[in-house]
Structures are given as structure tokens and as C-alpha cells.
Amino acid sequence: FADGNPNSKIMIIGEAPGSNEDEQGYPFEGRAGKLLDKMLLSINLDRRNVYITNVVNYKPPENRKPTEQEIERYFPFLIKHIEIINPKILILLGSTALNTIVENKEVISKARGKWLSKKIGSCSTSVIASFHPAFLIRQQEQKKMSWIDLKMIRKKIFELKIKIEK
Ligand code: URA
């Protein structure tokens, strides 16, 4: 369950696959994926120049949130995955990705829109958390905060001189 360009310096982590993702074998295939594509496009990105995966790489029954145990089981693979991609920018979508990678219990509405320098395994990277697109579909008024975060990401790409392959 990964999509995009493994040579990209921009990595995005979601929560877990749903039914659409399970059928297609790629992350973010459903409605949330369509919105993610729009969000990326708004800062001139698309799936050819980012790399996308999830905290948990199997579909939890009934689309529920992954449990602590499920997250723990996939954690070593997630860290290895980050080490292999070695992104300069790591975007965490939603509280599952935030709480797993930053290892805190903060709520996304407080933690979003801030850059953190983090060492994850052997990878030193700039991390930012933002709202999950599935949440934004339910809470449209939060899209303005999401746009602030997207602009921060756009600025960081420029500052770090990350080359965007078209
Ligand atoms: N699709 C994914 O791949 N991940 C999510 O977190 C949500 C939808």
C-alpha cells in the first residue's frame, strides 16, 4: 500500500486503507484520495512527485480506526519505510499518523501547522501534521486551516530547494 514516486523527498502518511484502497491496492483511492489529489494540486504537486503510505497497511474491519496493537505491529515497517524513502518533508495526515510518528497524544487541531525537526530511525526530516482529507470532507470549515498548512509546505519545498519532477 504505497503510491507515488519512491525517489520523492516528500512523503505523506495517512491512517489505514479502506475498501477502495483494499480493492485497488493503492492508498487514497476513494473520496478522501480525490480530495488529497486536489490539495496536492493546489500547491503544484501530484502523485508523480510525492510518496504516499499509511500507518497501518491492512484494512481494519468495518473501517474502524486502527487499534494500538495494530499500530504497534506495523510500526517497525513504517519506520523502515521512512528510512528507505528518506524524505526531507514528512506530512502526517490526521491524528493516527501524528500520534504514531511524533509519539504524543496531542490532538490534530492543536498540533497541525507547525514544523518539527525529527529523527526517525536514520532519517532526519522536517515534519508537519495536518487534517486528514476524510475529516475535511466532514468538516468543510476546517479547509481554511488546511490551506494554511499546504502553503507552509509549499514554502518549505522552496526553502529546501526540493526539485519537483514533472
Ligand atoms: N485511504 C488511505 O489510504 N489512507 C487513509 O488514511 C484514508 C484513506
Side-chain angles (χ1 to χ4, degrees):
F1 283 107
D3 192 17
N5 179 355
N7 296 316
S8 176
K9 292 292 137 205
I10 306 163
M11 184 169 183
I12 299 172
I13 303 179
E15 182 176 274
S19 308
N20 294 303
E21 291 76 20
D22 214 28
E23 271 164 33
Q24 315 276 333
Y26 291 104
F28 287 98
E29 284 294 322
R31 278 179 77 206
K34 292 241 159 57
L35 179 55
L36 176 61
D37 286 340
K38 272 197 199 164
M39 289 157 68
L40 292 174
L41 200 61
S42 74
I43 52 168
N44 294 317
L45 295 174
D46 61 38
R47 297 211 186 198
R48 287 168 304 174
N49 38 54
V50 298
Y51 186 81
I52 309 175
T53 191
N54 287 306
V55 170
V56 161
N57 273 304
Y58 96 118
K59 177 174 120 26
E62 279 108 47
N63 272 340
R64 59 158 167 73
K65 251 176 151 8
T67 62
E68 293 273 331
Q69 287 82 353
E70 286 164 342
I71 291 170
E72 245 174 64
R73 195 186 318 144
Y74 282 91
F75 188 70
F77 299 103
L78 181 63
I79 300 303
K80 193 78 206 164
H81 210 153
I82 295 169
E83 287 184 321
I84 291 168
I85 302 301
N86 196 26
K88 290 193 171 141
I89 292 177
L90 184 62
I91 303 166
L92 308 175
L93 296 179
S95 58
T96 300
L98 167 72
N99 298 150
T100 303
I101 294 295
V102 184
E103 294 177 78
N104 65 14
K105 298 258 182 252
E106 269 194 74
V107 292
I108 192 83
S109 53
K110 283 238 172 76
R112 53 148 286 276
K114 295 173 197 160
W115 287 109
L116 302 171
S117 296
K118 275 219 42 107
K119 191 148 197 287
I120 302 162
S122 60
C123 171
S124 296
T125 186
S126 295
V127 179
I128 191 167
S130 194
F131 289 124
H132 193 291
F135 172 81
L136 292 172
I137 290 171
R138 286 180 271 121
Q139 304 273 332
Q140 303 266 341
E141 72 280 10
Q142 298 298 332
K143 282 187 176 173
K144 53 183 183 297
M145 309 314 283
S146 171
W147 176 231
I148 293 172
D149 303 345
L150 287 165
K151 284 189 288 184
M152 287 177 72
I153 294 164
R154 183 172 65 186
K155 188 159 167 250
K156 189 66 116 185
I157 291 169
F158 183 73
E159 283 168 6
L160 296 179
K161 300 188 171 66
I162 295 174
K163 255 203 10 240
I164 299 300
E165 310 277 349
K166 287 287 173 194

mmCIF file of all heavy atoms in Angstrom, residues 62-95:
data_model
loop_
_atom_site.group_PDB
_atom_site.id
_atom_site.type_symbol
_atom_site.label_atom_id
_atom_site.label_comp_id
_atom_site.label_asym_id
_atom_site.label_seq_id
_atom_site.Cartn_x
_atom_site.Cartn_y
_atom_site.Cartn_z
ATOM 1 N N GLU A 62 -14.565 -3.073 9.212
ATOM 2 C CA GLU A 62 -15.584 -2.013 9.284
ATOM 3 C C GLU A 62 -15.008 -0.605 9.255
ATOM 4 O O GLU A 62 -15.605 0.338 9.798
ATOM 5 C CB GLU A 62 -16.465 -2.165 10.533
ATOM 6 C CG GLU A 62 -17.573 -3.193 10.382
ATOM 7 C CD GLU A 62 -17.285 -4.441 11.207
ATOM 8 O OE1 GLU A 62 -16.929 -4.272 12.380
ATOM 9 O OE2 GLU A 62 -17.391 -5.554 10.664
ATOM 10 N N ASN A 63 -13.834 -0.495 8.648
ATOM 11 C CA ASN A 63 -13.228 0.840 8.507
ATOM 12 C C ASN A 63 -13.012 1.560 9.834
ATOM 13 O O ASN A 63 -12.974 2.783 9.881
ATOM 14 C CB ASN A 63 -14.075 1.735 7.607
ATOM 15 C CG ASN A 63 -13.685 1.562 6.162
ATOM 16 O OD1 ASN A 63 -12.579 1.093 5.861
ATOM 17 N ND2 ASN A 63 -14.578 1.925 5.271
ATOM 18 N N ARG A 64 -12.901 0.804 10.908
ATOM 19 C CA ARG A 64 -12.667 1.474 12.186
ATOM 20 C C ARG A 64 -11.232 1.980 12.244
ATOM 21 O O ARG A 64 -10.402 1.612 11.414
ATOM 22 C CB ARG A 64 -12.945 0.515 13.353
ATOM 23 C CG ARG A 64 -12.100 -0.743 13.347
ATOM 24 C CD ARG A 64 -11.997 -1.363 14.715
ATOM 25 N NE ARG A 64 -11.446 -2.706 14.643
ATOM 26 C CZ ARG A 64 -10.181 -3.002 14.394
ATOM 27 N NH1 ARG A 64 -9.302 -2.041 14.144
ATOM 28 N NH2 ARG A 64 -9.762 -4.257 14.365
ATOM 29 N N LYS A 65 -10.974 2.825 13.240
ATOM 30 C CA LYS A 65 -9.613 3.317 13.454
ATOM 31 C C LYS A 65 -8.724 2.132 13.840
ATOM 32 O O LYS A 65 -9.185 1.234 14.560
ATOM 33 C CB LYS A 65 -9.628 4.289 14.645
ATOM 34 C CG LYS A 65 -9.419 5.749 14.285
ATOM 35 C CD LYS A 65 -9.571 6.559 15.540
ATOM 36 C CE LYS A 65 -8.823 7.831 15.658
ATOM 37 N NZ LYS A 65 -8.094 8.464 14.648
ATOM 38 N N PRO A 66 -7.478 2.116 13.406
ATOM 39 C CA PRO A 66 -6.606 1.014 13.838
ATOM 40 C C PRO A 66 -6.401 1.033 15.354
ATOM 41 O O PRO A 66 -6.373 2.098 15.964
ATOM 42 C CB PRO A 66 -5.280 1.288 13.125
ATOM 43 C CG PRO A 66 -5.455 2.485 12.283
ATOM 44 C CD PRO A 66 -6.816 3.049 12.492
ATOM 45 N N THR A 67 -6.309 -0.153 15.947
ATOM 46 C CA THR A 67 -6.077 -0.246 17.392
ATOM 47 C C THR A 67 -4.590 -0.021 17.689
ATOM 48 O O THR A 67 -3.743 -0.079 16.790
ATOM 49 C CB THR A 67 -6.442 -1.643 17.910
ATOM 50 O OG1 THR A 67 -5.585 -2.595 17.261
ATOM 51 C CG2 THR A 67 -7.894 -1.998 17.638
ATOM 52 N N GLU A 68 -4.294 0.190 18.975
ATOM 53 C CA GLU A 68 -2.896 0.346 19.430
ATOM 54 C C GLU A 68 -2.053 -0.850 18.982
ATOM 55 O O GLU A 68 -0.910 -0.698 18.566
ATOM 56 C CB GLU A 68 -2.848 0.415 20.959
ATOM 57 C CG GLU A 68 -3.496 1.656 21.547
ATOM 58 C CD GLU A 68 -2.534 2.827 21.636
ATOM 59 O OE1 GLU A 68 -1.329 2.577 21.773
ATOM 60 O OE2 GLU A 68 -3.005 3.975 21.536
ATOM 61 N N GLN A 69 -2.649 -2.047 19.120
ATOM 62 C CA GLN A 69 -1.915 -3.272 18.765
ATOM 63 C C GLN A 69 -1.608 -3.315 17.272
ATOM 64 O O GLN A 69 -0.500 -3.687 16.879
ATOM 65 C CB GLN A 69 -2.730 -4.536 19.136
ATOM 66 C CG GLN A 69 -2.796 -4.839 20.613
ATOM 67 C CD GLN A 69 -3.873 -3.999 21.333
ATOM 68 O OE1 GLN A 69 -4.484 -3.108 20.755
ATOM 69 N NE2 GLN A 69 -4.088 -4.286 22.600
ATOM 70 N N GLU A 70 -2.585 -2.923 16.463
ATOM 71 C CA GLU A 70 -2.359 -2.922 15.013
ATOM 72 C C GLU A 70 -1.273 -1.911 14.650
ATOM 73 O O GLU A 70 -0.402 -2.187 13.826
ATOM 74 C CB GLU A 70 -3.670 -2.592 14.278
ATOM 75 C CG GLU A 70 -4.654 -3.753 14.286
ATOM 76 C CD GLU A 70 -6.074 -3.358 13.926
ATOM 77 O OE1 GLU A 70 -6.424 -2.158 13.979
ATOM 78 O OE2 GLU A 70 -6.857 -4.266 13.622
ATOM 79 N N ILE A 71 -1.335 -0.762 15.280
ATOM 80 C CA ILE A 71 -0.326 0.271 15.008
ATOM 81 C C ILE A 71 1.058 -0.235 15.403
ATOM 82 O O ILE A 71 2.021 -0.095 14.648
ATOM 83 C CB ILE A 71 -0.693 1.578 15.744
ATOM 84 C CG1 ILE A 71 -1.948 2.186 15.111
ATOM 85 C CG2 ILE A 71 0.471 2.568 15.710
ATOM 86 C CD1 ILE A 71 -2.549 3.340 15.877
ATOM 87 N N GLU A 72 1.123 -0.867 16.564
ATOM 88 C CA GLU A 72 2.405 -1.395 17.053
ATOM 89 C C GLU A 72 2.982 -2.449 16.111
ATOM 90 O O GLU A 72 4.184 -2.485 15.878
ATOM 91 C CB GLU A 72 2.198 -2.037 18.422
ATOM 92 C CG GLU A 72 2.919 -1.322 19.532
ATOM 93 C CD GLU A 72 2.557 -1.899 20.878
ATOM 94 O OE1 GLU A 72 2.867 -3.086 21.111
ATOM 95 O OE2 GLU A 72 1.933 -1.167 21.677
ATOM 96 N N ARG A 73 2.075 -3.300 15.600
ATOM 97 C CA ARG A 73 2.518 -4.384 14.719
ATOM 98 C C ARG A 73 3.166 -3.828 13.448
ATOM 99 O O ARG A 73 4.127 -4.377 12.930
ATOM 100 C CB ARG A 73 1.313 -5.261 14.361
ATOM 101 C CG ARG A 73 1.693 -6.593 13.770
ATOM 102 C CD ARG A 73 0.479 -7.393 13.297
ATOM 103 N NE ARG A 73 -0.645 -7.347 14.201
ATOM 104 C CZ ARG A 73 -1.929 -7.331 13.804
ATOM 105 N NH1 ARG A 73 -2.225 -7.369 12.523
ATOM 106 N NH2 ARG A 73 -2.908 -7.279 14.674
ATOM 107 N N TYR A 74 2.614 -2.718 12.922
ATOM 108 C CA TYR A 74 3.129 -2.158 11.669
ATOM 109 C C TYR A 74 4.238 -1.135 11.888
ATOM 110 O O TYR A 74 4.901 -0.723 10.930
ATOM 111 C CB TYR A 74 1.980 -1.533 10.862
ATOM 112 C CG TYR A 74 1.171 -2.582 10.148
ATOM 113 C CD1 TYR A 74 0.064 -3.160 10.752
ATOM 114 C CD2 TYR A 74 1.549 -3.034 8.887
ATOM 115 C CE1 TYR A 74 -0.662 -4.160 10.115
ATOM 116 C CE2 TYR A 74 0.827 -4.024 8.248
ATOM 117 C CZ TYR A 74 -0.272 -4.582 8.864
ATOM 118 O OH TYR A 74 -0.976 -5.558 8.232
ATOM 119 N N PHE A 75 4.435 -0.726 13.130
ATOM 120 C CA PHE A 75 5.371 0.367 13.418
ATOM 121 C C PHE A 75 6.786 0.122 12.867
ATOM 122 O O PHE A 75 7.352 1.011 12.208
ATOM 123 C CB PHE A 75 5.391 0.637 14.932
ATOM 124 C CG PHE A 75 6.156 1.857 15.316
ATOM 125 C CD1 PHE A 75 5.677 3.125 15.013
ATOM 126 C CD2 PHE A 75 7.373 1.747 15.975
ATOM 127 C CE1 PHE A 75 6.391 4.263 15.367
ATOM 128 C CE2 PHE A 75 8.090 2.877 16.332
ATOM 129 C CZ PHE A 75 7.601 4.131 16.022
ATOM 130 N N PRO A 76 7.385 -1.070 13.105
ATOM 131 C CA PRO A 76 8.743 -1.286 12.582
ATOM 132 C C PRO A 76 8.812 -1.158 11.058
ATOM 133 O O PRO A 76 9.801 -0.635 10.523
ATOM 134 C CB PRO A 76 9.082 -2.722 13.004
ATOM 135 C CG PRO A 76 8.090 -3.093 14.045
ATOM 136 C CD PRO A 76 6.882 -2.241 13.848
ATOM 137 N N PHE A 77 7.758 -1.589 10.364
ATOM 138 C CA PHE A 77 7.735 -1.485 8.896
ATOM 139 C C PHE A 77 7.628 -0.021 8.473
ATOM 140 O O PHE A 77 8.241 0.405 7.502
ATOM 141 C CB PHE A 77 6.558 -2.285 8.316
ATOM 142 C CG PHE A 77 6.627 -3.749 8.642
ATOM 143 C CD1 PHE A 77 5.821 -4.296 9.638
ATOM 144 C CD2 PHE A 77 7.515 -4.579 7.976
ATOM 145 C CE1 PHE A 77 5.880 -5.649 9.942
ATOM 146 C CE2 PHE A 77 7.589 -5.932 8.279
ATOM 147 C CZ PHE A 77 6.774 -6.467 9.269
ATOM 148 N N LEU A 78 6.838 0.723 9.230
ATOM 149 C CA LEU A 78 6.663 2.144 8.919
ATOM 150 C C LEU A 78 7.992 2.894 9.063
ATOM 151 O O LEU A 78 8.361 3.690 8.197
ATOM 152 C CB LEU A 78 5.601 2.745 9.858
ATOM 153 C CG LEU A 78 5.278 4.215 9.652
ATOM 154 C CD1 LEU A 78 4.686 4.462 8.267
ATOM 155 C CD2 LEU A 78 4.306 4.712 10.726
ATOM 156 N N ILE A 79 8.702 2.616 10.141
ATOM 157 C CA ILE A 79 9.992 3.288 10.365
ATOM 158 C C ILE A 79 10.981 2.913 9.261
ATOM 159 O O ILE A 79 11.666 3.768 8.698
ATOM 160 C CB ILE A 79 10.575 2.925 11.761
ATOM 161 C CG1 ILE A 79 9.605 3.345 12.870
ATOM 162 C CG2 ILE A 79 11.957 3.548 11.970
ATOM 163 C CD1 ILE A 79 9.232 4.825 12.881
ATOM 164 N N LYS A 80 11.020 1.632 8.916
ATOM 165 C CA LYS A 80 11.900 1.170 7.836
ATOM 166 C C LYS A 80 11.523 1.851 6.518
ATOM 167 O O LYS A 80 12.391 2.282 5.750
ATOM 168 C CB LYS A 80 11.764 -0.360 7.710
ATOM 169 C CG LYS A 80 12.813 -1.011 6.871
ATOM 170 C CD LYS A 80 14.120 -1.155 7.632
ATOM 171 C CE LYS A 80 15.299 -1.197 6.675
ATOM 172 N NZ LYS A 80 16.561 -0.965 7.357
ATOM 173 N N HIS A 81 10.222 1.957 6.294
ATOM 174 C CA HIS A 81 9.699 2.596 5.078
ATOM 175 C C HIS A 81 10.192 4.051 4.997
ATOM 176 O O HIS A 81 10.650 4.506 3.949
ATOM 177 C CB HIS A 81 8.165 2.551 5.158
ATOM 178 C CG HIS A 81 7.480 2.471 3.842
ATOM 179 N ND1 HIS A 81 6.242 1.888 3.694
ATOM 180 C CD2 HIS A 81 7.821 2.901 2.617
ATOM 181 C CE1 HIS A 81 5.873 1.989 2.429
ATOM 182 N NE2 HIS A 81 6.815 2.592 1.758
ATOM 183 N N ILE A 82 10.123 4.752 6.113
ATOM 184 C CA ILE A 82 10.581 6.151 6.152
ATOM 185 C C ILE A 82 12.095 6.207 5.907
ATOM 186 O O ILE A 82 12.582 7.051 5.156
ATOM 187 C CB ILE A 82 10.211 6.826 7.493
ATOM 188 C CG1 ILE A 82 8.680 6.921 7.629
ATOM 189 C CG2 ILE A 82 10.849 8.218 7.599
ATOM 190 C CD1 ILE A 82 8.197 7.320 9.020
ATOM 191 N N GLU A 83 12.818 5.272 6.514
ATOM 192 C CA GLU A 83 14.275 5.248 6.316
ATOM 193 C C GLU A 83 14.632 5.042 4.844
ATOM 194 O O GLU A 83 15.558 5.667 4.330
ATOM 195 C CB GLU A 83 14.908 4.128 7.148
ATOM 196 C CG GLU A 83 14.935 4.436 8.638
ATOM 197 C CD GLU A 83 15.648 3.350 9.443
ATOM 198 O OE1 GLU A 83 15.476 2.150 9.131
ATOM 199 O OE2 GLU A 83 16.377 3.704 10.377
ATOM 200 N N ILE A 84 13.896 4.166 4.190
ATOM 201 C CA ILE A 84 14.197 3.858 2.784
ATOM 202 C C ILE A 84 13.893 5.067 1.888
ATOM 203 O O ILE A 84 14.688 5.443 1.046
ATOM 204 C CB ILE A 84 13.402 2.612 2.303
ATOM 205 C CG1 ILE A 84 13.942 1.365 3.011
ATOM 206 C CG2 ILE A 84 13.481 2.466 0.789
ATOM 207 C CD1 ILE A 84 13.073 0.127 2.842
ATOM 208 N N ILE A 85 12.754 5.690 2.099
ATOM 209 C CA ILE A 85 12.388 6.858 1.271
ATOM 210 C C ILE A 85 13.240 8.066 1.657
ATOM 211 O O ILE A 85 13.609 8.873 0.820
ATOM 212 C CB ILE A 85 10.870 7.174 1.394
ATOM 213 C CG1 ILE A 85 10.030 5.952 0.963
ATOM 214 C CG2 ILE A 85 10.485 8.417 0.583
ATOM 215 C CD1 ILE A 85 10.260 5.481 -0.467
ATOM 216 N N ASN A 86 13.566 8.178 2.941
ATOM 217 C CA ASN A 86 14.420 9.261 3.461
ATOM 218 C C ASN A 86 13.940 10.651 3.023
ATOM 219 O O ASN A 86 14.688 11.412 2.404
ATOM 220 C CB ASN A 86 15.872 8.999 3.018
ATOM 221 C CG ASN A 86 16.863 9.829 3.805
ATOM 222 O OD1 ASN A 86 16.600 10.226 4.943
ATOM 223 N ND2 ASN A 86 17.999 10.123 3.201
ATOM 224 N N PRO A 87 12.682 10.982 3.332
ATOM 225 C CA PRO A 87 12.129 12.263 2.865
ATOM 226 C C PRO A 87 12.736 13.467 3.594
ATOM 227 O O PRO A 87 13.190 13.341 4.723
ATOM 228 C CB PRO A 87 10.640 12.139 3.225
ATOM 229 C CG PRO A 87 10.625 11.259 4.436
ATOM 230 C CD PRO A 87 11.721 10.253 4.190
ATOM 231 N N LYS A 88 12.713 14.602 2.914
ATOM 232 C CA LYS A 88 13.117 15.857 3.579
ATOM 233 C C LYS A 88 11.901 16.502 4.230
ATOM 234 O O LYS A 88 12.026 17.283 5.159
ATOM 235 C CB LYS A 88 13.720 16.819 2.557
ATOM 236 C CG LYS A 88 15.067 16.367 2.054
ATOM 237 C CD LYS A 88 15.764 17.485 1.303
ATOM 238 C CE LYS A 88 17.193 17.101 0.999
ATOM 239 N NZ LYS A 88 17.584 17.566 -0.334
ATOM 240 N N ILE A 89 10.724 16.177 3.691
ATOM 241 C CA ILE A 89 9.470 16.680 4.260
ATOM 242 C C ILE A 89 8.551 15.484 4.502
ATOM 243 O O ILE A 89 8.335 14.672 3.601
ATOM 244 C CB ILE A 89 8.786 17.681 3.299
ATOM 245 C CG1 ILE A 89 9.619 18.964 3.192
ATOM 246 C CG2 ILE A 89 7.362 18.009 3.760
ATOM 247 C CD1 ILE A 89 9.053 19.984 2.220
ATOM 248 N N LEU A 90 8.042 15.402 5.722
ATOM 249 C CA LEU A 90 7.134 14.304 6.066
ATOM 250 C C LEU A 90 5.805 14.912 6.504
ATOM 251 O O LEU A 90 5.746 15.670 7.483
ATOM 252 C CB LEU A 90 7.757 13.469 7.191
ATOM 253 C CG LEU A 90 6.980 12.223 7.621
ATOM 254 C CD1 LEU A 90 6.848 11.243 6.467
ATOM 255 C CD2 LEU A 90 7.690 11.534 8.791
ATOM 256 N N ILE A 91 4.754 14.591 5.771
ATOM 257 C CA ILE A 91 3.430 15.160 6.042
ATOM 258 C C ILE A 91 2.561 14.095 6.712
ATOM 259 O O ILE A 91 2.357 13.020 6.135
ATOM 260 C CB ILE A 91 2.774 15.642 4.726
ATOM 261 C CG1 ILE A 91 3.692 16.667 4.036
ATOM 262 C CG2 ILE A 91 1.388 16.236 4.993
ATOM 263 C CD1 ILE A 91 3.318 16.950 2.581
ATOM 264 N N LEU A 92 2.078 14.397 7.903
ATOM 265 C CA LEU A 92 1.262 13.448 8.662
ATOM 266 C C LEU A 92 -0.191 13.880 8.561
ATOM 267 O O LEU A 92 -0.564 14.967 9.028
ATOM 268 C CB LEU A 92 1.698 13.420 10.127
ATOM 269 C CG LEU A 92 3.200 13.208 10.360
ATOM 270 C CD1 LEU A 92 3.520 13.320 11.847
ATOM 271 C CD2 LEU A 92 3.643 11.859 9.809
ATOM 272 N N LEU A 93 -1.025 13.051 7.957
ATOM 273 C CA LEU A 93 -2.433 13.403 7.783
ATOM 274 C C LEU A 93 -3.284 12.730 8.849
ATOM 275 O O LEU A 93 -3.460 11.514 8.840
ATOM 276 C CB LEU A 93 -2.900 13.017 6.378
ATOM 277 C CG LEU A 93 -2.223 13.768 5.228
ATOM 278 C CD1 LEU A 93 -2.745 13.270 3.893
ATOM 279 C CD2 LEU A 93 -2.427 15.277 5.357
ATOM 280 N N GLY A 94 -3.772 13.517 9.775
ATOM 281 C CA GLY A 94 -4.674 13.014 10.810
ATOM 282 C C GLY A 94 -3.960 12.576 12.072
ATOM 283 O O GLY A 94 -2.739 12.476 12.121
ATOM 284 N N SER A 95 -4.765 12.298 13.099
ATOM 285 C CA SER A 95 -4.211 12.051 14.433
ATOM 286 C C SER A 95 -3.493 10.707 14.545
ATOM 287 O O SER A 95 -2.535 10.583 15.299
ATOM 288 C CB SER A 95 -5.306 12.156 15.490
ATOM 289 O OG SER A 95 -6.320 11.234 15.187
#
